[in-house]
Amino acid sequence: MADWDDFSEDYDRVFLENPQYVDTIERMISVAAERDGVRVLDLGCGTGNVTASLLRRLEGTPISVVAVDPSAGMRKKCGGRFASLGAVEVREGDSLAIPAEDGGFDFVLSHLALHHVPPESRRDCAREIARVLAPGGTLVYADMFCDVDGDIRDPVRVRDIVDKMVGVALYCLDHGAFDMMQVMLSTLPADINSEGEYLTTVDAWRGLLADSGFGGIEVTSVPPDEFGIRIITALKGLPGSIGGKGGPDVPAPPGAPD
């Protein structure tokens, strides 16, 4: 497992080498830009790459961002990056204890963070995200997902994870992202053994979000599709709406695409 405080110094240099990483963020921001809302939570903000992309895309729009991360090193990098911008506030916290009031955000954006949540805490995580979103607010969550859940020693599960991680590593190697290739291979044992890296399926998160009051749940794939990078978009149910427990007819917020 990485020491995120130490790795914060190298994070951007390593991760921004990977074209799929950059493409995923741009796709996340495209979803957010299509919908109304000015209060944004960047959950698991790291060095602030999602926030930076959002501010570039919505330049001139009066938005406010709260960026949350448990790592002091990451918060320092993120805070320094936006020190001159009053629109961005960096706070200590994580997905199980978000330092924000109920209903305080129109959007929650999270990239490559929630796979660190242990399986037994995922339901609490989904409920905590629902708590801080305003009714009709939008979650945009991007991460690597596996296709098989099972025991740590389940050969089908292990092969699925190995195929994805090695596939990403070779993709990075082919695109000149040598250091990112090494990161993917070095974290492979942790992914297999569920040691701080808890890959799960999209369907697992669909169920958790539906049970936590989300509806309109959509999943898009980030190419190359076989690597398991997906973006989940979900709307927090509006009070009194049919499907307020995550049914398919939860109304979309104003400005959302039909």
Side-chain angles (χ1 to χ4, degrees):
M1 283 296 297
D3 182 324
W4 294 107
D5 289 346
D6 289 342
F7 190 50
S8 63
E9 293 297 325
D10 295 314
Y11 184 92
D12 286 346
R13 177 184 60 79
V14 173
F15 273 75
L16 292 173
E17 288 183 333
N18 180 2
Q20 192 182 38
Y21 174 88
V22 176
D23 185 33
T24 300
I25 293 177
E26 292 305 314
R27 289 169 183 262
M28 291 176 66
I29 300 310
S30 293
V31 171
E34 292 174 348
R35 309 192 179 202
D36 289 343
V38 297
R39 301 170 301 167
V40 180
L41 170 66
D42 184 353
L43 183 58
C45 63
T47 60
N49 290 324
V50 170
T51 291
S53 182
L54 179 71
L55 295 177
R56 285 194 300 270
R57 180 68 176 265
L58 299 180
E59 186 176 3
T61 302
I63 67 174
S64 63
V65 179
V66 172
V68 171
D69 202 279
S71 164
M74 291 293 188
R75 294 195 306 274
K76 181 178 179 181
K77 294 291 287 188
C78 187
R81 185 174 191 170
F82 304 113
S84 63
L85 299 179
V88 180
E89 180 183 355
V90 181
R91 300 178 185 173
E92 179 180 3
D94 58 42
S95 61
L96 299 177
I98 299 171
E101 64 184 9
D102 294 0
F105 300 102
D106 304 303
F107 287 96
V108 172
L109 307 179
S110 186
H111 182 217
L112 293 180
L114 302 186
H115 69 270
H116 295 297
V117 178
E120 65 273 15
S121 300
R122 287 182 190 133
R123 188 173 303 278
D124 290 338
C125 173
R127 290 174 176 171
E128 181 71 348
I129 292 171
R131 179 186 69 80
V132 300
L133 269 173
T138 304
L139 167 67
V140 183
Y141 165 39
D143 216 330
M144 174 181 277
F145 295 89
C146 59
D147 295 324
V148 181
D149 267 333
D151 183 78
I152 286 177
R153 294 180 177 272
D154 179 354
V156 178
R157 170 189 171 273
V158 172
R159 182 175 292 277
D160 177 52
I161 292 174
V162 170
D163 285 346
K164 285 180 170 56
M165 298 292 286
V166 173
V168 174
L170 293 176
Y171 170 86
C172 289
L173 182 63
D174 290 343
H175 287 80
F178 184 84
D179 291 331
M180 190 68 209
M181 177 269 295
Q182 291 189 310
V183 167
M184 298 305 296
L185 294 179
S186 68
T187 60
L188 181 54
D191 284 285
I192 292 173
N193 294 314
S194 292
E195 297 173 344
E197 306 275 343
Y198 308 104
L199 297 187
T200 190
T201 64
V202 165
D203 284 343
W205 270 101
R206 280 184 188 270
L208 292 166
L209 292 172
D211 288 346
S212 300
F214 286 89
I217 300 171
E218 299 179 357
V219 179
T220 57
S221 176
V222 180
D225 296 353
E226 63 268 25
F227 299 160
I229 302 296
R230 306 286 184 261
I231 300 174
I232 299 177
T233 306
L235 307 179
K236 179 179 175 179
L238 296 171
S241 66
I242 300 173
K245 292 296 292 179
D249 46 0
V250 174
D258 295 333

